[in-house]
Amino acid sequence: MYSSSSTVPKRVILIHVLAIQLLLINSELSLNTTNAYLNHKCLVSQGKYKPGSKYEQRLKFIIKRFYSVSNKGYQGFGDSTLSAIIQCRGDSYGPKCHDCFATAFAALRRRCPWYKGRIIWYDQCLLSIDAKYSIGQIDYNNNFCMSNAKKLGGDAFAFIITWNTFMDNLTTLAVDNNTNKLTPFYSAGKTWFKGDMLYGMVQCTIDLNPNACWECMVFNSIHFQHCLNDKRGARFMSRSCTFRFEFYPFLAKHVQSI
Ligand SMILES: *[C@@H]1O[C@H](CO)[C@@H](O)[C@H](O)[C@H]1NC(C)=O
Ligand SMILES: *[C@@H]1O[C@H](CO)[C@@H](O)[C@H](O)[C@H]1NC(C)=O
Ligand SMILES: CC(=O)N[C@H]1CO[C@H](CO)[C@@H](O)[C@@H]1O
């Protein structure tokens, strides 16, 4: 699903309004306090469950467990009838992750009532529930891309090369260091593009293996190339991986300069 071009102006207006409010409240608050709702999907083909059913009981059990440990940043549960994943953005582990999970679950109940399968994306977390075993598997179907309405202009071809290399570099960082970092499969960095600083982020859900993380990134970058090319900023999100670039710092920390 591509975002309509009206999405971005609305968000820009929202950010301006928020910025003014934040200025009034506390000029010290930084970017990473926002947690915008991005998208959701009710997996209609998986059907609905009934109140009191076994599915509901298992779901309640898992959600309760996730609730108590969601500040760990990632939780996954899967059997043949139900899988659930909460994955927080790499810089939003801890209490922020817990809050995002609580928000996401409440919103999913409201937006996809009684659907067995449902996914919701926020800036700071992803919550996915589905009625089959899907842990460790790349989800090729549930994905979308949003782009800045502003075109890059200028050297579009050079930019394609740059965002592609940048994404590769970030994926290498995320994957290579996944065993010993606190936030595996996540990286955020920056690079120059013709005198402008380009900021980027890559993340795969922790249940994937390194090869699957790569495959997910490559698949989506090709699938959404028209959304990514020649834009002042864009991001794709799937159930399994995400990539974002902007010409402004959208995270508090873009640590690595690559
Ligand atoms: C933003 O995130 C960074 C790193 O996670 C953290 O150190 C900082 O305190 C956060 N800022 C706010 C205002 O929450
Ligand atoms: C990617 O990484 C290589 C090797 O570290 C570096 O030379 C190059 O500038 C990076 N490019 C981008 C766009 O990040
Ligand atoms: C590819 C990469 O960034 N590797 C880094 C992984 O983490 C170690 C220790 O934190 C660094 O020394 C490597 O450069």
Side-chain angles (χ1 to χ4, degrees), residues 145 147-148 150-152 156-157 159-161 163-164 221 224-234 245:
C145 183
S147 56
N148 196 316
K150 266 198 205 150
K151 288 214 163 204
L152 182 74
F157 184 69
F159 188 62
I160 292 173
I161 308 240
W163 75 249
N164 233 307
S221 63
F224 291 119
Q225 55 184 300
H226 297 297
C227 169
L228 301 163
N229 290 348
D230 196 24
K231 297 293 179 353
R232 293 287 311 169
F245 68 82

mmCIF file with all atom_site columns, all heavy atoms in Angstrom, residues 145 147-148 150-152 156-157 159-161 163-164 221 224-234 245:
data_model
loop_
_atom_site.group_PDB
_atom_site.id
_atom_site.type_symbol
_atom_site.label_atom_id
_atom_site.label_alt_id
_atom_site.label_comp_id
_atom_site.label_asym_id
_atom_site.label_entity_id
_atom_site.label_seq_id
_atom_site.pdbx_PDB_ins_code
_atom_site.Cartn_x
_atom_site.Cartn_y
_atom_site.Cartn_z
_atom_site.occupancy
_atom_site.B_iso_or_equiv
_atom_site.pdbx_formal_charge
_atom_site.auth_seq_id
_atom_site.auth_comp_id
_atom_site.auth_asym_id
_atom_site.auth_atom_id
_atom_site.pdbx_PDB_model_num
ATOM 1   N N   . CYS A 1 145 ? 4.692  1.262  2.203   1.00 0.00 ? 145 CYS A N   1
ATOM 2   C CA  . CYS A 1 145 ? 5.765  2.255  2.095   1.00 0.00 ? 145 CYS A CA  1
ATOM 3   C C   . CYS A 1 145 ? 5.153  3.643  2.140   1.00 0.00 ? 145 CYS A C   1
ATOM 4   O O   . CYS A 1 145 ? 4.071  3.867  1.606   1.00 0.00 ? 145 CYS A O   1
ATOM 5   C CB  . CYS A 1 145 ? 6.516  2.031  0.774   1.00 0.00 ? 145 CYS A CB  1
ATOM 6   S SG  . CYS A 1 145 ? 7.928  3.123  0.535   1.00 0.00 ? 145 CYS A SG  1
ATOM 7   N N   . SER A 1 147 ? 6.171  7.803  1.627   1.00 0.00 ? 147 SER A N   1
ATOM 8   C CA  . SER A 1 147 ? 7.278  8.677  1.236   1.00 0.00 ? 147 SER A CA  1
ATOM 9   C C   . SER A 1 147 ? 6.908  10.138 1.389   1.00 0.00 ? 147 SER A C   1
ATOM 10  O O   . SER A 1 147 ? 5.737  10.516 1.360   1.00 0.00 ? 147 SER A O   1
ATOM 11  C CB  . SER A 1 147 ? 7.731  8.376  -0.188  1.00 0.00 ? 147 SER A CB  1
ATOM 12  O OG  . SER A 1 147 ? 6.663  8.490  -1.077  1.00 0.00 ? 147 SER A OG  1
ATOM 13  N N   . ASN A 1 148 ? 7.939  10.917 1.558   1.00 0.00 ? 148 ASN A N   1
ATOM 14  C CA  . ASN A 1 148 ? 7.812  12.348 1.620   1.00 0.00 ? 148 ASN A CA  1
ATOM 15  C C   . ASN A 1 148 ? 7.292  12.835 0.271   1.00 0.00 ? 148 ASN A C   1
ATOM 16  O O   . ASN A 1 148 ? 7.773  12.401 -0.766  1.00 0.00 ? 148 ASN A O   1
ATOM 17  C CB  . ASN A 1 148 ? 9.226  12.907 1.877   1.00 0.00 ? 148 ASN A CB  1
ATOM 18  C CG  . ASN A 1 148 ? 9.198  14.322 2.341   1.00 0.00 ? 148 ASN A CG  1
ATOM 19  O OD1 . ASN A 1 148 ? 8.469  15.151 1.799   1.00 0.00 ? 148 ASN A OD1 1
ATOM 20  N ND2 . ASN A 1 148 ? 9.989  14.613 3.352   1.00 0.00 ? 148 ASN A ND2 1
ATOM 21  N N   . LYS A 1 150 ? 7.747  15.510 -1.099  1.00 0.00 ? 150 LYS A N   1
ATOM 22  C CA  . LYS A 1 150 ? 8.762  16.308 -1.800  1.00 0.00 ? 150 LYS A CA  1
ATOM 23  C C   . LYS A 1 150 ? 9.704  15.415 -2.587  1.00 0.00 ? 150 LYS A C   1
ATOM 24  O O   . LYS A 1 150 ? 10.266 14.468 -2.055  1.00 0.00 ? 150 LYS A O   1
ATOM 25  C CB  . LYS A 1 150 ? 9.586  17.094 -0.785  1.00 0.00 ? 150 LYS A CB  1
ATOM 26  C CG  . LYS A 1 150 ? 9.085  18.483 -0.559  1.00 0.00 ? 150 LYS A CG  1
ATOM 27  C CD  . LYS A 1 150 ? 10.178 19.311 0.098   1.00 0.00 ? 150 LYS A CD  1
ATOM 28  C CE  . LYS A 1 150 ? 9.568  20.463 0.867   1.00 0.00 ? 150 LYS A CE  1
ATOM 29  N NZ  . LYS A 1 150 ? 10.381 20.835 2.019   1.00 0.00 ? 150 LYS A NZ  1
ATOM 30  N N   . LYS A 1 151 ? 9.883  15.772 -3.854  1.00 0.00 ? 151 LYS A N   1
ATOM 31  C CA  . LYS A 1 151 ? 10.852 15.050 -4.674  1.00 0.00 ? 151 LYS A CA  1
ATOM 32  C C   . LYS A 1 151 ? 12.244 15.559 -4.372  1.00 0.00 ? 151 LYS A C   1
ATOM 33  O O   . LYS A 1 151 ? 12.420 16.714 -3.994  1.00 0.00 ? 151 LYS A O   1
ATOM 34  C CB  . LYS A 1 151 ? 10.538 15.265 -6.152  1.00 0.00 ? 151 LYS A CB  1
ATOM 35  C CG  . LYS A 1 151 ? 9.290  14.533 -6.597  1.00 0.00 ? 151 LYS A CG  1
ATOM 36  C CD  . LYS A 1 151 ? 9.440  14.072 -8.031  1.00 0.00 ? 151 LYS A CD  1
ATOM 37  C CE  . LYS A 1 151 ? 8.415  13.017 -8.346  1.00 0.00 ? 151 LYS A CE  1
ATOM 38  N NZ  . LYS A 1 151 ? 8.806  12.159 -9.445  1.00 0.00 ? 151 LYS A NZ  1
ATOM 39  N N   . LEU A 1 152 ? 13.194 14.675 -4.593  1.00 0.00 ? 152 LEU A N   1
ATOM 40  C CA  . LEU A 1 152 ? 14.575 15.062 -4.367  1.00 0.00 ? 152 LEU A CA  1
ATOM 41  C C   . LEU A 1 152 ? 15.029 16.052 -5.436  1.00 0.00 ? 152 LEU A C   1
ATOM 42  O O   . LEU A 1 152 ? 15.682 17.044 -5.147  1.00 0.00 ? 152 LEU A O   1
ATOM 43  C CB  . LEU A 1 152 ? 15.450 13.803 -4.410  1.00 0.00 ? 152 LEU A CB  1
ATOM 44  C CG  . LEU A 1 152 ? 16.919 14.005 -4.145  1.00 0.00 ? 152 LEU A CG  1
ATOM 45  C CD1 . LEU A 1 152 ? 17.121 14.266 -2.665  1.00 0.00 ? 152 LEU A CD1 1
ATOM 46  C CD2 . LEU A 1 152 ? 17.687 12.774 -4.555  1.00 0.00 ? 152 LEU A CD2 1
ATOM 47  N N   . ALA A 1 156 ? 18.830 11.947 -9.604  1.00 0.00 ? 156 ALA A N   1
ATOM 48  C CA  . ALA A 1 156 ? 18.062 10.824 -9.080  1.00 0.00 ? 156 ALA A CA  1
ATOM 49  C C   . ALA A 1 156 ? 18.847 9.517  -9.136  1.00 0.00 ? 156 ALA A C   1
ATOM 50  O O   . ALA A 1 156 ? 18.764 8.700  -8.220  1.00 0.00 ? 156 ALA A O   1
ATOM 51  C CB  . ALA A 1 156 ? 16.761 10.682 -9.856  1.00 0.00 ? 156 ALA A CB  1
ATOM 52  N N   . PHE A 1 157 ? 19.613 9.334  -10.175 1.00 0.00 ? 157 PHE A N   1
ATOM 53  C CA  . PHE A 1 157 ? 20.340 8.072  -10.314 1.00 0.00 ? 157 PHE A CA  1
ATOM 54  C C   . PHE A 1 157 ? 21.404 7.925  -9.226  1.00 0.00 ? 157 PHE A C   1
ATOM 55  O O   . PHE A 1 157 ? 21.530 6.875  -8.608  1.00 0.00 ? 157 PHE A O   1
ATOM 56  C CB  . PHE A 1 157 ? 20.968 7.952  -11.708 1.00 0.00 ? 157 PHE A CB  1
ATOM 57  C CG  . PHE A 1 157 ? 21.639 6.624  -11.918 1.00 0.00 ? 157 PHE A CG  1
ATOM 58  C CD1 . PHE A 1 157 ? 20.881 5.459  -12.013 1.00 0.00 ? 157 PHE A CD1 1
ATOM 59  C CD2 . PHE A 1 157 ? 23.020 6.527  -11.987 1.00 0.00 ? 157 PHE A CD2 1
ATOM 60  C CE1 . PHE A 1 157 ? 21.487 4.224  -12.182 1.00 0.00 ? 157 PHE A CE1 1
ATOM 61  C CE2 . PHE A 1 157 ? 23.640 5.296  -12.156 1.00 0.00 ? 157 PHE A CE2 1
ATOM 62  C CZ  . PHE A 1 157 ? 22.873 4.142  -12.258 1.00 0.00 ? 157 PHE A CZ  1
ATOM 63  N N   . PHE A 1 159 ? 21.307 9.220  -6.418  1.00 0.00 ? 159 PHE A N   1
ATOM 64  C CA  . PHE A 1 159 ? 20.645 9.012  -5.134  1.00 0.00 ? 159 PHE A CA  1
ATOM 65  C C   . PHE A 1 159 ? 20.200 7.566  -4.941  1.00 0.00 ? 159 PHE A C   1
ATOM 66  O O   . PHE A 1 159 ? 20.281 7.024  -3.838  1.00 0.00 ? 159 PHE A O   1
ATOM 67  C CB  . PHE A 1 159 ? 19.450 9.961  -4.970  1.00 0.00 ? 159 PHE A CB  1
ATOM 68  C CG  . PHE A 1 159 ? 18.869 9.892  -3.588  1.00 0.00 ? 159 PHE A CG  1
ATOM 69  C CD1 . PHE A 1 159 ? 19.642 10.237 -2.490  1.00 0.00 ? 159 PHE A CD1 1
ATOM 70  C CD2 . PHE A 1 159 ? 17.583 9.433  -3.370  1.00 0.00 ? 159 PHE A CD2 1
ATOM 71  C CE1 . PHE A 1 159 ? 19.148 10.131 -1.201  1.00 0.00 ? 159 PHE A CE1 1
ATOM 72  C CE2 . PHE A 1 159 ? 17.076 9.323  -2.085  1.00 0.00 ? 159 PHE A CE2 1
ATOM 73  C CZ  . PHE A 1 159 ? 17.858 9.673  -1.000  1.00 0.00 ? 159 PHE A CZ  1
ATOM 74  N N   . ILE A 1 160 ? 19.747 6.935  -6.023  1.00 0.00 ? 160 ILE A N   1
ATOM 75  C CA  . ILE A 1 160 ? 19.366 5.512  -5.935  1.00 0.00 ? 160 ILE A CA  1
ATOM 76  C C   . ILE A 1 160 ? 20.564 4.696  -5.432  1.00 0.00 ? 160 ILE A C   1
ATOM 77  O O   . ILE A 1 160 ? 20.450 3.870  -4.523  1.00 0.00 ? 160 ILE A O   1
ATOM 78  C CB  . ILE A 1 160 ? 18.888 4.972  -7.305  1.00 0.00 ? 160 ILE A CB  1
ATOM 79  C CG1 . ILE A 1 160 ? 17.561 5.629  -7.685  1.00 0.00 ? 160 ILE A CG1 1
ATOM 80  C CG2 . ILE A 1 160 ? 18.743 3.445  -7.271  1.00 0.00 ? 160 ILE A CG2 1
ATOM 81  C CD1 . ILE A 1 160 ? 17.086 5.294  -9.080  1.00 0.00 ? 160 ILE A CD1 1
ATOM 82  N N   . ILE A 1 161 ? 21.712 4.968  -6.021  1.00 0.00 ? 161 ILE A N   1
ATOM 83  C CA  . ILE A 1 161 ? 22.929 4.260  -5.607  1.00 0.00 ? 161 ILE A CA  1
ATOM 84  C C   . ILE A 1 161 ? 23.205 4.529  -4.126  1.00 0.00 ? 161 ILE A C   1
ATOM 85  O O   . ILE A 1 161 ? 23.544 3.628  -3.364  1.00 0.00 ? 161 ILE A O   1
ATOM 86  C CB  . ILE A 1 161 ? 24.133 4.717  -6.456  1.00 0.00 ? 161 ILE A CB  1
ATOM 87  C CG1 . ILE A 1 161 ? 23.765 4.608  -7.924  1.00 0.00 ? 161 ILE A CG1 1
ATOM 88  C CG2 . ILE A 1 161 ? 25.406 3.946  -6.054  1.00 0.00 ? 161 ILE A CG2 1
ATOM 89  C CD1 . ILE A 1 161 ? 24.570 3.716  -8.782  1.00 0.00 ? 161 ILE A CD1 1
ATOM 90  N N   . TRP A 1 163 ? 21.092 5.594  -1.559  1.00 0.00 ? 163 TRP A N   1
ATOM 91  C CA  . TRP A 1 163 ? 20.212 4.981  -0.547  1.00 0.00 ? 163 TRP A CA  1
ATOM 92  C C   . TRP A 1 163 ? 20.363 3.470  -0.514  1.00 0.00 ? 163 TRP A C   1
ATOM 93  O O   . TRP A 1 163 ? 20.254 2.845  0.544   1.00 0.00 ? 163 TRP A O   1
ATOM 94  C CB  . TRP A 1 163 ? 18.756 5.448  -0.637  1.00 0.00 ? 163 TRP A CB  1
ATOM 95  C CG  . TRP A 1 163 ? 17.866 4.929  -1.755  1.00 0.00 ? 163 TRP A CG  1
ATOM 96  C CD1 . TRP A 1 163 ? 17.387 5.653  -2.797  1.00 0.00 ? 163 TRP A CD1 1
ATOM 97  C CD2 . TRP A 1 163 ? 17.319 3.601  -1.906  1.00 0.00 ? 163 TRP A CD2 1
ATOM 98  N NE1 . TRP A 1 163 ? 16.608 4.864  -3.610  1.00 0.00 ? 163 TRP A NE1 1
ATOM 99  C CE2 . TRP A 1 163 ? 16.543 3.596  -3.082  1.00 0.00 ? 163 TRP A CE2 1
ATOM 100 C CE3 . TRP A 1 163 ? 17.428 2.419  -1.188  1.00 0.00 ? 163 TRP A CE3 1
ATOM 101 C CZ2 . TRP A 1 163 ? 15.867 2.467  -3.555  1.00 0.00 ? 163 TRP A CZ2 1
ATOM 102 C CZ3 . TRP A 1 163 ? 16.757 1.280  -1.655  1.00 0.00 ? 163 TRP A CZ3 1
ATOM 103 C CH2 . TRP A 1 163 ? 15.989 1.310  -2.822  1.00 0.00 ? 163 TRP A CH2 1
ATOM 104 N N   . ASN A 1 164 ? 20.657 2.888  -1.698  1.00 0.00 ? 164 ASN A N   1
ATOM 105 C CA  . ASN A 1 164 ? 20.858 1.447  -1.748  1.00 0.00 ? 164 ASN A CA  1
ATOM 106 C C   . ASN A 1 164 ? 22.098 1.023  -0.954  1.00 0.00 ? 164 ASN A C   1
ATOM 107 O O   . ASN A 1 164 ? 22.049 0.078  -0.167  1.00 0.00 ? 164 ASN A O   1
ATOM 108 C CB  . ASN A 1 164 ? 21.054 1.039  -3.213  1.00 0.00 ? 164 ASN A CB  1
ATOM 109 C CG  . ASN A 1 164 ? 20.110 -0.056 -3.597  1.00 0.00 ? 164 ASN A CG  1
ATOM 110 O OD1 . ASN A 1 164 ? 20.064 -1.080 -2.919  1.00 0.00 ? 164 ASN A OD1 1
ATOM 111 N ND2 . ASN A 1 164 ? 19.343 0.153  -4.650  1.00 0.00 ? 164 ASN A ND2 1
ATOM 112 N N   . SER A 1 221 ? 13.118 -3.424 -0.722  1.00 0.00 ? 221 SER A N   1
ATOM 113 C CA  . SER A 1 221 ? 13.722 -2.277 -1.407  1.00 0.00 ? 221 SER A CA  1
ATOM 114 C C   . SER A 1 221 ? 13.454 -2.338 -2.910  1.00 0.00 ? 221 SER A C   1
ATOM 115 O O   . SER A 1 221 ? 13.352 -1.307 -3.569  1.00 0.00 ? 221 SER A O   1
ATOM 116 C CB  . SER A 1 221 ? 15.215 -2.176 -1.111  1.00 0.00 ? 221 SER A CB  1
ATOM 117 O OG  . SER A 1 221 ? 15.895 -3.307 -1.606  1.00 0.00 ? 221 SER A OG  1
ATOM 118 N N   . PHE A 1 224 ? 9.420  -1.760 -3.345  1.00 0.00 ? 224 PHE A N   1
ATOM 119 C CA  . PHE A 1 224 ? 8.997  -0.373 -3.100  1.00 0.00 ? 224 PHE A CA  1
ATOM 120 C C   . PHE A 1 224 ? 9.935  0.651  -3.722  1.00 0.00 ? 224 PHE A C   1
ATOM 121 O O   . PHE A 1 224 ? 10.001 1.797  -3.267  1.00 0.00 ? 224 PHE A O   1
ATOM 122 C CB  . PHE A 1 224 ? 8.894  -0.118 -1.595  1.00 0.00 ? 224 PHE A CB  1
ATOM 123 C CG  . PHE A 1 224 ? 7.755  -0.847 -0.939  1.00 0.00 ? 224 PHE A CG  1
ATOM 124 C CD1 . PHE A 1 224 ? 7.996  -1.777 0.067   1.00 0.00 ? 224 PHE A CD1 1
ATOM 125 C CD2 . PHE A 1 224 ? 6.443  -0.603 -1.317  1.00 0.00 ? 224 PHE A CD2 1
ATOM 126 C CE1 . PHE A 1 224 ? 6.944  -2.452 0.672   1.00 0.00 ? 224 PHE A CE1 1
ATOM 127 C CE2 . PHE A 1 224 ? 5.385  -1.279 -0.708  1.00 0.00 ? 224 PHE A CE2 1
ATOM 128 C CZ  . PHE A 1 224 ? 5.637  -2.203 0.283   1.00 0.00 ? 224 PHE A CZ  1
ATOM 129 N N   . GLN A 1 225 ? 10.666 0.246  -4.756  1.00 0.00 ? 225 GLN A N   1
ATOM 130 C CA  . GLN A 1 225 ? 11.666 1.176  -5.291  1.00 0.00 ? 225 GLN A CA  1
ATOM 131 C C   . GLN A 1 225 ? 11.061 2.491  -5.760  1.00 0.00 ? 225 GLN A C   1
ATOM 132 O O   . GLN A 1 225 ? 11.679 3.546  -5.604  1.00 0.00 ? 225 GLN A O   1
ATOM 133 C CB  . GLN A 1 225 ? 12.478 0.517  -6.402  1.00 0.00 ? 225 GLN A CB  1
ATOM 134 C CG  . GLN A 1 225 ? 11.658 -0.051 -7.537  1.00 0.00 ? 225 GLN A CG  1
ATOM 135 C CD  . GLN A 1 225 ? 12.545 -0.758 -8.539  1.00 0.00 ? 225 GLN A CD  1
ATOM 136 O OE1 . GLN A 1 225 ? 13.423 -0.148 -9.120  1.00 0.00 ? 225 GLN A OE1 1
ATOM 137 N NE2 . GLN A 1 225 ? 12.324 -2.042 -8.742  1.00 0.00 ? 225 GLN A NE2 1
ATOM 138 N N   . HIS A 1 226 ? 9.829  2.479  -6.277  1.00 0.00 ? 226 HIS A N   1
ATOM 139 C CA  . HIS A 1 226 ? 9.235  3.734  -6.758  1.00 0.00 ? 226 HIS A CA  1
ATOM 140 C C   . HIS A 1 226 ? 8.868  4.666  -5.612  1.00 0.00 ? 226 HIS A C   1
ATOM 141 O O   . HIS A 1 226 ? 8.778  5.870  -5.786  1.00 0.00 ? 226 HIS A O   1
ATOM 142 C CB  . HIS A 1 226 ? 8.022  3.442  -7.640  1.00 0.00 ? 226 HIS A CB  1
ATOM 143 C CG  . HIS A 1 226 ? 8.395  2.690  -8.879  1.00 0.00 ? 226 HIS A CG  1
ATOM 144 N ND1 . HIS A 1 226 ? 9.229  3.225  -9.833  1.00 0.00 ? 226 HIS A ND1 1
ATOM 145 C CD2 . HIS A 1 226 ? 8.114  1.427  -9.273  1.00 0.00 ? 226 HIS A CD2 1
ATOM 146 C CE1 . HIS A 1 226 ? 9.432  2.328  -10.789 1.00 0.00 ? 226 HIS A CE1 1
ATOM 147 N NE2 . HIS A 1 226 ? 8.773  1.222  -10.474 1.00 0.00 ? 226 HIS A NE2 1
ATOM 148 N N   . CYS A 1 227 ? 8.644  4.072  -4.464  1.00 0.00 ? 227 CYS A N   1
ATOM 149 C CA  . CYS A 1 227 ? 8.344  4.862  -3.271  1.00 0.00 ? 227 CYS A CA  1
ATOM 150 C C   . CYS A 1 227 ? 9.624  5.457  -2.675  1.00 0.00 ? 227 CYS A C   1
ATOM 151 O O   . CYS A 1 227 ? 9.602  6.517  -2.065  1.00 0.00 ? 227 CYS A O   1
ATOM 152 C CB  . CYS A 1 227 ? 7.622  3.960  -2.272  1.00 0.00 ? 227 CYS A CB  1
ATOM 153 S SG  . CYS A 1 227 ? 7.426  4.611  -0.625  1.00 0.00 ? 227 CYS A SG  1
ATOM 154 N N   . LEU A 1 228 ? 10.744 4.779  -2.894  1.00 0.00 ? 228 LEU A N   1
ATOM 155 C CA  . LEU A 1 228 ? 12.013 5.193  -2.278  1.00 0.00 ? 228 LEU A CA  1
ATOM 156 C C   . LEU A 1 228 ? 12.845 6.126  -3.162  1.00 0.00 ? 228 LEU A C   1
ATOM 157 O O   . LEU A 1 228 ? 13.532 7.018  -2.658  1.00 0.00 ? 228 LEU A O   1
ATOM 158 C CB  . LEU A 1 228 ? 12.862 3.950  -1.945  1.00 0.00 ? 228 LEU A CB  1
ATOM 159 C CG  . LEU A 1 228 ? 12.232 2.925  -0.993  1.00 0.00 ? 228 LEU A CG  1
ATOM 160 C CD1 . LEU A 1 228 ? 12.973 1.591  -1.071  1.00 0.00 ? 228 LEU A CD1 1
ATOM 161 C CD2 . LEU A 1 228 ? 12.247 3.439  0.443   1.00 0.00 ? 228 LEU A CD2 1
ATOM 162 N N   . ASN A 1 229 ? 12.741 5.906  -4.474  1.00 0.00 ? 229 ASN A N   1
ATOM 163 C CA  . ASN A 1 229 ? 13.586 6.685  -5.390  1.00 0.00 ? 229 ASN A CA  1
ATOM 164 C C   . ASN A 1 229 ? 13.168 8.136  -5.465  1.00 0.00 ? 229 ASN A C   1
ATOM 165 O O   . ASN A 1 229 ? 11.979 8.446  -5.468  1.00 0.00 ? 229 ASN A O   1
ATOM 166 C CB  . ASN A 1 229 ? 13.482 6.093  -6.805  1.00 0.00 ? 229 ASN A CB  1
ATOM 167 C CG  . ASN A 1 229 ? 14.147 4.736  -6.910  1.00 0.00 ? 229 ASN A CG  1
ATOM 168 O OD1 . ASN A 1 229 ? 14.872 4.318  -6.015  1.00 0.00 ? 229 ASN A OD1 1
ATOM 169 N ND2 . ASN A 1 229 ? 13.887 4.052  -8.008  1.00 0.00 ? 229 ASN A ND2 1
ATOM 170 N N   . ASP A 1 230 ? 14.162 9.002  -5.582  1.00 0.00 ? 230 ASP A N   1
ATOM 171 C CA  . ASP A 1 230 ? 13.912 10.413 -5.871  1.00 0.00 ? 230 ASP A CA  1
ATOM 172 C C   . ASP A 1 230 ? 12.996 11.100 -4.851  1.00 0.00 ? 230 ASP A C   1
ATOM 173 O O   . ASP A 1 230 ? 12.194 11.952 -5.205  1.00 0.00 ? 230 ASP A O   1
ATOM 174 C CB  . ASP A 1 230 ? 13.317 10.535 -7.298  1.00 0.00 ? 230 ASP A CB  1
ATOM 175 C CG  . ASP A 1 230 ? 13.384 11.959 -7.810  1.00 0.00 ? 230 ASP A CG  1
ATOM 176 O OD1 . ASP A 1 230 ? 14.243 12.735 -7.326  1.00 0.00 ? 230 ASP A OD1 1
ATOM 177 O OD2 . ASP A 1 230 ? 12.556 12.321 -8.676  1.00 0.00 ? 230 ASP A OD2 1
ATOM 178 N N   . LYS A 1 231 ? 13.108 10.710 -3.575  1.00 0.00 ? 231 LYS A N   1
ATOM 179 C CA  . LYS A 1 231 ? 12.276 11.326 -2.537  1.00 0.00 ? 231 LYS A CA  1
ATOM 180 C C   . LYS A 1 231 ? 13.155 11.984 -1.472  1.00 0.00 ? 231 LYS A C   1
ATOM 181 O O   . LYS A 1 231 ? 14.269 11.551 -1.216  1.00 0.00 ? 231 LYS A O   1
ATOM 182 C CB  . LYS A 1 231 ? 11.389 10.264 -1.870  1.00 0.00 ? 231 LYS A CB  1
ATOM 183 C CG  . LYS A 1 231 ? 10.388 9.604  -2.800  1.00 0.00 ? 231 LYS A CG  1
ATOM 184 C CD  . LYS A 1 231 ? 9.352  10.593 -3.236  1.00 0.00 ? 231 LYS A CD  1
ATOM 185 C CE  . LYS A 1 231 ? 8.293  10.047 -4.189  1.00 0.00 ? 231 LYS A CE  1
ATOM 186 N NZ  . LYS A 1 231 ? 8.425  8.725  -4.709  1.00 0.00 ? 231 LYS A NZ  1
ATOM 187 N N   . ARG A 1 232 ? 12.616 12.987 -0.825  1.00 0.00 ? 232 ARG A N   1
ATOM 188 C CA  . ARG A 1 232 ? 13.343 13.657 0.260   1.00 0.00 ? 232 ARG A CA  1
ATOM 189 C C   . ARG A 1 232 ? 13.303 12.840 1.555   1.00 0.00 ? 232 ARG A C   1
ATOM 190 O O   . ARG A 1 232 ? 13.791 13.277 2.583   1.00 0.00 ? 232 ARG A O   1
ATOM 191 C CB  . ARG A 1 232 ? 12.745 15.039 0.559   1.00 0.00 ? 232 ARG A CB  1
ATOM 192 C CG  . ARG A 1 232 ? 12.874 16.085 -0.511  1.00 0.00 ? 232 ARG A CG  1
ATOM 193 C CD  . ARG A 1 232 ? 14.254 16.674 -0.701  1.00 0.00 ? 232 ARG A CD  1
ATOM 194 N NE  . ARG A 1 232 ? 14.928 17.116 0.506   1.00 0.00 ? 232 ARG A NE  1
ATOM 195 C CZ  . ARG A 1 232 ? 16.217 17.454 0.558   1.00 0.00 ? 232 ARG A CZ  1
ATOM 196 N NH1 . ARG A 1 232 ? 16.945 17.401 -0.540  1.00 0.00 ? 232 ARG A NH1 1
ATOM 197 N NH2 . ARG A 1 232 ? 16.764 17.841 1.670   1.00 0.00 ? 232 ARG A NH2 1
ATOM 198 N N   . GLY A 1 233 ? 12.649 11.698 1.491   1.00 0.00 ? 233 GLY A N   1
ATOM 199 C CA  . GLY A 1 233 ? 12.555 10.835 2.658   1.00 0.00 ? 233 GLY A CA  1
ATOM 200 C C   . GLY A 1 233 ? 11.523 9.765  2.375   1.00 0.00 ? 233 GLY A C   1
ATOM 201 O O   . GLY A 1 233 ? 10.565 10.009 1.637   1.00 0.00 ? 233 GLY A O   1
ATOM 202 N N   . ALA A 1 234 ? 11.732 8.565  2.889   1.00 0.00 ? 234 ALA A N   1
ATOM 203 C CA  . ALA A 1 234 ? 10.777 7.484  2.671   1.00 0.00 ? 234 ALA A CA  1
ATOM 204 C C   . ALA A 1 234 ? 11.063 6.368  3.662   1.00 0.00 ? 234 ALA A C   1
ATOM 205 O O   . ALA A 1 234 ? 12.135 6.318  4.262   1.00 0.00 ? 234 ALA A O   1
ATOM 206 C CB  . ALA A 1 234 ? 10.860 6.951  1.241   1.00 0.00 ? 234 ALA A CB  1
ATOM 207 N N   . PHE A 1 245 ? 14.814 6.510  5.541   1.00 0.00 ? 245 PHE A N   1
ATOM 208 C CA  . PHE A 1 245 ? 15.830 7.562  5.384   1.00 0.00 ? 245 PHE A CA  1
ATOM 209 C C   . PHE A 1 245 ? 15.142 8.918  5.320   1.00 0.00 ? 245 PHE A C   1
ATOM 210 O O   . PHE A 1 245 ? 14.006 9.033  4.857   1.00 0.00 ? 245 PHE A O   1
ATOM 211 C CB  . PHE A 1 245 ? 16.713 7.321  4.144   1.00 0.00 ? 245 PHE A CB  1
ATOM 212 C CG  . PHE A 1 245 ? 15.991 7.487  2.830   1.00 0.00 ? 245 PHE A CG  1
ATOM 213 C CD1 . PHE A 1 245 ? 15.806 8.750  2.271   1.00 0.00 ? 245 PHE A CD1 1
ATOM 214 C CD2 . PHE A 1 245 ? 15.504 6.391  2.153   1.00 0.00 ? 245 PHE A CD2 1
ATOM 215 C CE1 . PHE A 1 245 ? 15.134 8.913  1.052   1.00 0.00 ? 245 PHE A CE1 1
ATOM 216 C CE2 . PHE A 1 245 ? 14.828 6.532  0.941   1.00 0.00 ? 245 PHE A CE2 1
ATOM 217 C CZ  . PHE A 1 245 ? 14.640 7.800  0.400   1.00 0.00 ? 245 PHE A CZ  1
#
